[in-house]
C-alpha cells in the first residue's frame, strides 16, 4: 500500500492523488493503487521553520510516517518540496522506502534535457535557502527568480493555499514567464502549490513547465506496478 | 481527525476530499480539516455482492474502519452510496462515530424541498435493489429511471470508473434529464461517480442536481468545527 504524508498543503495532496490515478492504467476500481493518506495540515509551516521563525515540523512529520507504516504503508511519498529539507532525518526513522521528490524530478529531467540545460526553479524562499534543487540538479544550470520576483512568487503560493487561484496564477505566471524570457529552457514548479495555480489551459507553453509532483506520481505508479514482496501488500 | 474509508471508487474519494476542502473556510494550511484516508480500491465490488454474483466486501470494509481508528480517526465517513447497504453492520464494529451518507443527504433535502416533492434518484442497480434511498427519503415521492435508462446509467457509472468522462456524461445526462422532463423537482446523484461526470459546467440546470457527497462533506466540516473531546483530536 502506498503511504502519502500530506496536508502540506491539503490541496497539493489531493492533486498528487489525482496524478497517481491519472498515471494508472485501470479498467475498474480494483486496478487502482491502494493508498493510505495522512493529510495533516496542522504540521507546522516548513518555510517558517527553515527561515528560523516557526516551530519545528520534523517531529510531526516523523509521527506521520510512523502512523502510515503502522497502518500498513509499504512505501511513502511526501508531496511537499520544502519538507524534503528534512529528508535525511525522516529517512533515518522510516522502516519502509521513503521516496524522494527531488530525486524523482532529477531522474526525469536527466531523461528530458541535456546536461547544462538552463532550468528556472520556482520554489518557496525556504526551498531556495536549503539549496535542495541546486544540489539535486547539479548537471544543469539552475536559475532562481530575482529578489522582487521571489516576493511575488511567495504571494502567489500563499494565494493558492487560501484558495485565491486567479491571483495565484497571475503572480506565479509572471515570475515563470520572466525566467523563460531570460533564456531558461524550462521552469521547474518546485512547490506543490504552483501546478495547482498554473494549470495547463492557462500556461502559454505547457511543455516547458516541469512538474516534480507528477514525476513523483509516475515513480510511485512504476514502483507499484513493478512491486515485489517489499512493497506489494 | 476525520477518517475516510475510500477507494470505492478512488476518484470519488479524491472528489470527496476536494469537497471537504471547499466547504472549509481556511486562510492557511493549518486551518484545514486533518484527515486519514484509506483509499482501498481492492475492496470487492459492492454492486456485484448485493446482486449475488461477487465476493463479500464487508470484512474488507470493517478492516478499513479498524485501520482508520487505529491510525487516530475520531469519526469516519464513507464516500460510497452502495457501501451504505452494510451501514448497520459496519456501525456495529465501529468504536467511533460512523457518518451516514444517506442520512446527511436526507437532512439537507428536508431543509431544501417540501414534503411530497418528487425526487429522481440516480444510483447503481444495487443501490435501487437495497431500497436505501426509498427508505432514506420516505417523506418524498421517489422516482427511479425506467429499466432501459437504468442500463444506460450503469454504462455511465462504469465509464466514470475507467476514466471515459465524456461517454459517462452523455449516458448519465440523458437519464437525468429524462427524470426532470417527467416532472421530478430535482435529481439526487446517489452514486459518488455521478457528480464526477455531471460537473456543473455541463449541466443545464445545476441547482436541480443534488449531490449527497457534498452534503456528507458539509456534515463532516460542520462536526469538525463544532468538535468536542470526542472528535477533536
Amino acid at each position: 500500500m502506498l503511504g502519502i504524508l500530506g496536508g502540506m498543503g491539503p490541496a497539493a495532496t489531493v492533486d498528487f492523488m489525482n496524478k497517481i490515478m491519472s498515471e494508472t492504467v485501470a479498467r475498474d476500481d480494483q486496478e487502482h493503487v491502494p493508498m493510505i493518506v495522512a493529510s495533516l495540515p496542522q504540521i507546522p509551516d516548513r518555510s517558517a521553520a527553515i527561515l528560523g521563525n516557526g516551530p519545528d515540523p520534523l517531529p510531526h512529520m516523523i509521527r506521520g510516517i510512523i502512523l502510515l507504516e503502522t497502518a500498513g504503508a509499504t512505501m511513502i511519498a511526501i508531496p511537499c518540496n520544502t519538507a524534503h529539507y528534512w529528508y535525511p532525518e525522516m529517512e533515518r526513522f522510516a522502516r519502509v522506502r521513503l521516496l524522494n521528490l527531488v530525486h524523482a524530478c532529477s531522474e526525469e529531467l536527466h531523461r528530458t534535457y541535456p546536461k547544462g540545460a538552463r532550468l528556472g526553479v520556482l520554489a518557496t524562499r525556504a526551498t531556495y535557502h536549503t539549496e535542495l534543487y541546486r544540489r539535486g540538479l547539479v548537471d544543469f544550470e539552475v536559475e532562481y527568480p530575482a529578489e522582487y520576483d521571489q516576493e511575488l512568487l511567495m504571494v502567489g503560493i500563499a494565494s493558492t493555499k487560501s484558495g485565491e487561484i486567479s491571483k495565484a496564477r497571475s503572480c506565479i505566471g509572471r515570475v515563470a514567464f520572466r525566467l523563460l524570457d531570460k533564456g531558461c529552457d524550462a521552469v521547474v514548479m518546485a512547490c506543490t502549490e504552483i501546478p495547482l495555480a498554473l494549470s495547463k489551459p492557462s500556461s502559454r507553453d505547457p511543455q516547458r513547465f516541469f512538474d516534480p509532483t507528477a514525476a513523483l506520481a509516475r515513480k510511485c505508479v512504476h514502483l507499484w506496478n513493478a512491486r515485489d514482496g517489499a512493497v506489494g501488500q
Side-chain angles (χ1 to χ4, degrees), chain A:
Chain A
M1 196 155 58
L2 170 64
I4 299 176
L5 179 63
M8 304 180 277
T13 299
V14 168
D15 179 56
F16 182 64
M17 293 171 74
N18 264 321
K19 283 169 181 158
I20 295 270
M21 275 189 292
S22 57
E23 296 292 339
T24 306
V25 179
R27 284 158 304 180
D28 55 26
D29 287 357
Q30 286 69 26
E31 292 183 355
H32 279 276
V33 179
M35 301 185 228
I36 176 90
V37 184
S39 182
L40 307 173
Q42 283 72 35
I43 294 176
D45 189 82
R46 286 66 58 199
S47 289
I50 290 171
L51 300 174
N53 47 25
D56 182 9
L58 181 62
H60 299 257
M61 296 193 292
I62 287 171
R63 289 185 73 91
I65 287 168
I66 293 170
L67 178 158
L68 291 169
E69 289 176 351
T70 308
T74 50
M75 57 179 176
I76 294 174
I78 308 173
C80 172
N81 287 273
T82 314
H84 280 69
Y85 170 64
W86 292 275
Y87 180 85
E89 285 166 279
M90 290 191 281
E91 205 191 17
R92 198 156 62 87
F93 279 85
R95 293 249 172 107
V96 302
R97 180 166 176 181
L98 195 62
L99 299 173
N100 188 310
L101 172 57
V102 184
H103 291 181
C105 165
S106 169
E107 276 173 21
E108 279 205 14
L109 285 170
H110 277 90
R111 286 199 292 271
T112 315
Y113 293 96
K115 287 190 181 189
R118 278 177 73 186
L119 301 176
V121 172
L122 301 175
T124 60
R125 208 181 278 282
T127 299
Y128 294 126
H129 184 79
T130 62
E131 298 277 8
L132 264 179
Y133 273 83
R134 210 186 280 283
R135 284 185 285 116
L137 304 175
V138 279
D139 292 336
F140 301 104
E141 199 181 315
V142 168
E143 190 126 356
Y144 292 160
E147 176 52 34
Y148 59 89
D149 267 357
Q150 188 52 44
E151 199 61 44
L152 198 58
L153 190 56
M154 290 307 290
V155 172
I157 292 169
S159 302
T160 311
K161 286 184 188 291
S162 60
E164 300 162 272
I165 296 299
S166 67
K167 183 177 173 190
R169 182 178 299 135
S170 142
C171 293
I172 301 171
R174 269 145 72 194
V175 180
F177 287 116
R178 263 201 284 269
L179 283 169
L180 291 175
D181 292 343
K182 272 176 67 183
C184 286
D185 297 297
V187 291
V188 179
M189 301 185 283
C191 168
T192 48
E193 311 297 301
I194 293 175
L196 299 177
L198 295 187
S199 54
K200 275 198 178 119
S202 72
S203 59
R204 203 173 62 189
D205 211 354
Q207 70 282 14
R208 293 172 74 194
F209 284 77
F210 185 84
D211 181 356
T213 327
L216 181 63
R218 283 187 283 273
K219 179 100 186 178
C220 289
V221 173
H222 172 77
L223 286 173
W224 179 255
N225 290 337
R227 65 191 177 275
D228 56 18
V231 295
Q233 296 112 41

